[in-house]
Amino acid sequence: MNLLEIENLSFAYENLRRKSPNYVLNNINLHIKEGENVGLIGENGAGKSTFLKILTGLLDMQEGKVQLSSLELKKENLRKIRTEIGYVFQDSDSQLFMSTVYEDVAFAPRNYGKDESGVQEAVTSALRQVHMEDKKDRQIYRLSGGEKKLAAIATVLAVGTRLMLLDEPSAALDPKNRRNLIRILNELPCAKLIASHDLDFVYDTCQRVILLSGGEIAADGDAEKILTDRELLEGHGLELPLSFSRERGYMGLGTENSHRFFENRNCEYFPCHKEAGVLNCMFCYCPLYLKEKCPGIPSYIEKNGRRIKDCSNCTFPHQPENYDTIIRILKE
């Protein structure tokens, strides 16, 4: 079932309309299903942030039709629509303005007329979903950047959001908080539209990707298919995610690129990679399976680091904190 349907949406800022007929968004048609996670990518100026602001009514829609379930995006429906669509700003400090986490998360439910027992229930549920129950009385200024981002997400969850819009959610987060945010977003059942330049983050959180270019949809489809299409991305001002770039050694199962990294560096163990067709782990070679296969891998991991995911060929926990153990096993 489609949660959001958009037909022929076009938008131009007033100063641009006087000088040129070019639109920031031009004839956008798309839909988002219940519970679907969609990445919105594109170079600077592609129209991503403008698109998100239109969906929440922060910018007036000029042409086209936007419908959320049975509600059409119109001024008279905005109050109801904003309980269905939640917007998480790139800068969390722009979204958090009360003294404590509890008061910030409680603000919207109170504003929509819930009694205090209903407010408490909504806040408790929202904070539980972002794993911040123990910080409900924490003052906002004492939160880390990652905690502020989670508190901002909780503010939109507290009103029962069905579609969450996130603008550059991983910006300025350290690796630990970034991983934690990915985990929490993947746990949330609501649909999500994530606008980001962090294509690795998009890959980790979205099954579908929409590529905006020049205000139009240049591609819409499977996340892995789009994010591994070098020609498509570079043709629209982007680059492959680090996880798939040659410099990081793209280890796609059964692909030519999975071996080219070693071949181009005159790796004498290149044939062993080609033979290792049982590997299903996209971003690492299973150390227990390959420790006898290629002694060249440990030095590569040690020098460059890797983004590690679970590997179906062994039970070894492939997490960043286990890099040293992985290297030790490979060197044994």
Side-chain angles (χ1 to χ4, degrees):
M1 177 182 176
N2 291 337
L3 173 62
L4 179 72
E5 294 187 0
I6 299 173
E7 297 177 4
N8 305 318
L9 174 64
S10 297
F11 180 87
Y13 288 102
E14 291 300 325
N15 60 334
L16 294 180
R17 296 182 75 183
R18 296 192 193 102
K19 297 177 181 179
S20 168
N22 293 330
Y23 283 82
V24 177
L25 296 172
N26 185 32
N27 197 33
I28 301 297
N29 292 273
L30 63 88
H31 66 271
I32 295 177
K33 297 178 181 179
E34 290 273 7
E36 188 176 23
N37 291 351
V38 181
L40 185 64
I41 65 173
E43 62 183 336
N44 286 335
K48 301 186 299 298
S49 295
T50 297
F51 183 54
L52 296 186
K53 289 175 181 177
I54 290 172
L55 296 185
T56 54
L58 295 177
L59 291 173
D60 292 332
M61 191 174 64
Q62 297 167 350
E63 299 177 23
K65 180 180 179 181
V66 175
Q67 187 158 324
L68 180 73
S69 296
S70 60
L71 288 172
E72 188 172 347
L73 182 58
K74 294 180 178 179
K75 189 173 183 179
E76 57 266 29
N77 293 334
L78 281 180
R79 182 176 176 85
K80 175 61 177 175
I81 284 174
R82 286 171 178 165
T83 66
E84 304 278 331
I85 296 181
Y87 184 32
V88 181
F89 290 75
Q90 177 177 341
D91 179 12
S92 300
D93 286 324
S94 298
Q95 194 154 1
L96 304 172
F97 49 85
M98 303 297 282
S99 58
T100 66
V101 172
Y102 185 96
E103 291 301 315
D104 249 315
V105 179
F107 180 85
R110 284 180 179 147
N111 194 46
Y112 280 102
K114 284 184 178 289
D115 58 29
E116 279 307 307
S117 64
V119 169
Q120 184 174 358
E121 182 180 349
V123 172
T124 301
S125 175
L127 291 177
R128 184 185 302 116
Q129 291 180 77
V130 297
H131 306 284
M132 285 190 66
E133 308 100 302
D134 59 333
K135 295 183 173 62
K136 66 182 180 69
D137 296 320
R138 181 77 55 92
Q139 292 174 307
I140 295 297
Y141 76 89
R142 295 184 59 198
L143 298 178
S144 68
E147 290 169 339
K148 286 181 179 179
K149 183 64 67 178
L150 296 180
I153 290 173
T155 65
V156 301
L157 290 174
V159 292
T161 292
R162 297 169 65 194
L163 173 61
M164 186 182 299
L165 312 177
L166 299 104
D167 192 0
E168 298 291 350
S170 64
L173 295 185
D174 60 40
K176 180 179 178 181
N177 280 303
R178 181 180 177 278
R179 287 196 302 272
N180 187 49
L181 178 59
I182 289 170
R183 177 177 61 85
I184 288 173
L185 288 179
N186 286 336
E187 291 174 356
L188 297 177
C190 63
K192 293 172 264 318
L193 181 60
I194 301 174
S196 181
H197 288 111
D198 184 348
L199 301 191
D200 291 275
F201 185 90
V202 170
Y203 179 77
D204 280 335
T205 53
C206 301
Q207 297 79 45
R208 174 183 163 205
V209 163
I210 296 169
L211 170 60
L212 278 182
S213 182
E216 299 181 348
I217 295 178
D220 181 353
D222 177 74
E224 184 168 342
K225 183 177 180 179
I226 290 176
L227 294 176
T228 57
D229 191 332
R230 182 190 296 271
E231 184 177 353
L232 173 67
L233 294 176
E234 292 183 352
H236 295 281
L238 301 175
E239 296 181 351
L240 284 174
L242 288 176
S243 304
F244 298 122
S245 67
R246 176 181 292 183
E247 286 67 29
R248 294 291 302 273
Y250 174 27
M251 309 302 183
L253 177 63
T255 67
E256 181 182 358
N257 284 342
S258 63
H259 318 303
R260 185 179 294 150
F261 174 83
F262 296 93
E263 184 181 30
N264 286 350
R265 286 157 178 74
N266 301 314
C267 175
E268 62 181 296
Y269 302 100
F270 165 67
C272 78
H273 304 299
K274 198 168 185 178
E275 294 169 5
V278 299
L279 291 174
N280 293 321
C281 185
M282 183 66 75
F283 301 109
C284 68
Y285 281 105
C286 169
L288 302 185
Y289 179 79
L290 275 185
K291 69 176 183 177
E292 302 298 332
K293 291 273 187 178
C294 183
I297 292 177
S299 60
Y300 171 70
I301 294 179
E302 194 167 36
K303 180 179 179 181
N304 297 284
R306 300 204 64 72
R307 189 176 79 173
I308 305 290
K309 281 193 171 184
D310 291 338
C311 177
S312 64
N313 297 308
C314 71
T315 57
F316 191 88
H318 290 178
Q319 301 299 330
E321 55 266 26
N322 293 315
Y323 285 161
D324 292 341
T325 307
I326 292 173
I327 293 168
R328 176 181 56 75
I329 291 175
L330 283 163
K331 286 182 174 179
E332 285 178 354

